[in-house]
Amino acid sequence: MAESKSVVMAALIANGAIAIMKFAGFLLTGSAAMLSETYHSISDTGNQVFLLIGLRYGGREADRRHPFGYGKAQFFYAFLVSVFLFGIAGWESAKHGINALLGSGGHGGGGEAVEFLWLSFQPPGFDPILVNYTVLLLGIAFESWAFKKAYAGMKAQIEENDWSGMREAFRKTSDVTTLTALTEDTIALVGLVLALAGIFLEQQTGNAVYDAVAALLIGVMLMGFAVALAWENKRLILGESLPRDEEEKLRAVVEGREEVDRIVDFRTVYFGPERIVVSTDVEFRPGFQGGDLDATITEIEEEMKSVNASVRTVYLEPEV
């Protein structure tokens, strides 16, 4: 949890600073891509706030009303991040890009003053393109720092669980907080590069369509990742079991005991990031009971926890 919190805090600091810079850049230049990137960074900043709430709430101890703890709160707040913040920011960015393509905006640095709240924010003789380049390059520097923190957190999970890479980690991880932060930082870096490319091409060609297309692409990208993240969080909110290969390792612990005749039922479920509950009905060999049975059940539970450190609770029911 401490690692996840440090990842989120790094992203919060970076995105907050970048959002302010991008909005200042938009006021000075009127760039459609810059406004889309402002929506993006405001969204990302809000994301981190929601993720921090999820971390704090999800870390509460189990009580009578929530006997398995509050870990699923992190799944819920990460789901809100993907649906509301990513989705809204993506839609607004795409809409602004479409409006710019249709001729309702898209001054990527053409030198016209931007009127906002009846005030002109562009000083006389000021070259707005320099603002865009400065803001976007600083944004890339900030986001690279945040991305490095999130990537290190996910890399540690990959090594700990012996996963093949990021693709497998995306499918199997229950640490949605680090996953969401890493996804945000990746999208943010790609969005900054798109905005930089759109503004550069507009400057070189004098055609504002490049800036507008960059804004549209940023919006489409945001909405696409919103759907992907929402899907990943949905599976955990609904109570998904462990991946088959991970579950087989736990089954092997039970089947490998000479006292066990067969497994009648075996179930696993996530009740929070790295919080797994195992429930199994087991038939022991005839004549095996009493104190030996209790000791064996305890040994099986401890062995499961040693095989997978995320296993917190094991319910093993002997069957006749």
Side-chain angles (χ1 to χ4, degrees):
M1 181 175 174
E3 178 66 27
S4 296
K5 188 173 182 179
S6 68
V7 168
V8 175
M9 288 301 299
L12 177 64
I13 293 169
N15 290 319
I18 294 169
I20 294 171
M21 289 191 301
K22 287 176 181 176
F23 187 61
F26 164 68
L27 292 177
L28 286 166
T29 66
S31 165
M34 190 65 76
L35 180 59
S36 290
E37 277 297 295
T38 301
Y39 287 139
H40 185 173
S41 291
I42 291 173
S43 166
D44 284 351
T45 304
N47 290 348
Q48 312 317 317
V49 174
F50 273 99
L51 292 177
L52 285 173
I53 293 172
L55 280 171
R56 183 177 179 81
Y57 194 74
R60 295 171 62 180
E61 294 296 327
D63 54 30
R64 187 189 65 79
R65 294 185 62 190
H66 298 85
F68 295 105
Y70 291 78
K72 282 194 173 185
Q74 293 186 48
F75 303 156
F76 171 72
Y77 282 102
F79 184 80
L80 287 185
V81 164
S82 61
V83 174
F84 292 108
L85 294 177
F86 260 15
I88 291 171
W91 170 250
E92 287 299 322
S93 297
K95 184 174 69 174
H96 195 78
I98 292 171
N99 289 337
L101 282 172
L102 295 177
S104 302
H107 321 292
E112 295 182 11
V114 176
E115 298 296 330
F116 185 78
L117 296 179
W118 301 283
L119 296 175
S120 175
F121 288 87
Q122 190 178 106
F126 184 75
D127 187 359
I129 199 68
L130 296 178
V131 176
N132 283 338
Y133 288 150
T134 301
V135 168
L136 292 174
L137 290 173
L138 284 173
I140 289 173
F142 273 109
E143 285 293 355
S144 296
W145 170 66
F147 174 83
K148 184 178 179 181
K149 290 279 291 182
Y151 183 82
M154 188 58 69
K155 189 71 174 177
Q157 290 188 41
I158 292 173
E159 293 173 355
E160 180 182 344
N161 293 281
D162 196 28
W163 291 331
S164 60
M166 285 294 172
R167 183 174 181 180
E168 185 176 6
F170 193 90
R171 290 188 295 108
K172 292 185 176 181
T173 185
S174 61
D175 184 4
V176 292
T177 300
T178 301
L179 175 65
T180 302
L182 177 63
T183 303
E184 287 175 359
D185 294 336
T186 303
I187 296 171
L189 281 171
V190 175
L192 285 163
V193 172
L194 283 173
L196 191 63
I199 291 169
F200 174 76
L201 289 172
E202 179 182 354
Q203 181 197 25
Q204 296 300 308
T205 64
N207 190 343
V209 71
Y210 292 107
D211 184 57
V213 168
L216 178 59
L217 289 176
I218 291 168
V220 171
M221 178 180 63
L222 278 168
M223 289 188 288
F225 274 94
V227 173
L229 273 178
W231 186 264
E232 287 302 303
N233 283 288
K234 183 215 69 170
R235 66 181 175 85
L236 293 167
I237 289 174
L238 293 178
E240 186 175 70
S241 64
L242 276 171
R244 184 180 297 276
D245 56 339
E246 297 293 329
E247 189 171 280
E248 287 300 323
K249 294 177 184 178
L250 297 178
R251 288 182 64 98
V253 170
V254 183
E255 292 173 334
R257 302 286 302 204
E258 62 179 14
E259 304 92 342
V260 173
D261 187 17
R262 71 185 184 96
I263 295 176
V264 178
D265 187 36
F266 193 93
R267 300 179 185 181
T268 59
V269 66
Y270 282 106
F271 269 87
E274 300 180 357
R275 297 183 186 181
I276 300 167
V277 174
V278 180
S279 173
T280 180
D281 296 338
V282 177
E283 280 189 10
F284 289 90
R285 60 180 173 79
F288 188 74
Q289 57 185 356
D292 291 338
L293 178 60
D294 291 337
T296 300
I297 290 175
T298 300
E299 290 174 8
I300 291 174
E301 291 175 354
E302 292 304 316
E303 191 173 349
M304 280 189 184
K305 292 177 181 179
S306 67
V307 169
N308 191 322
S310 297
V311 174
R312 302 298 179 88
T313 306
V314 178
Y315 294 106
L316 195 156
E317 181 69 24
E319 291 286 331
V320 179

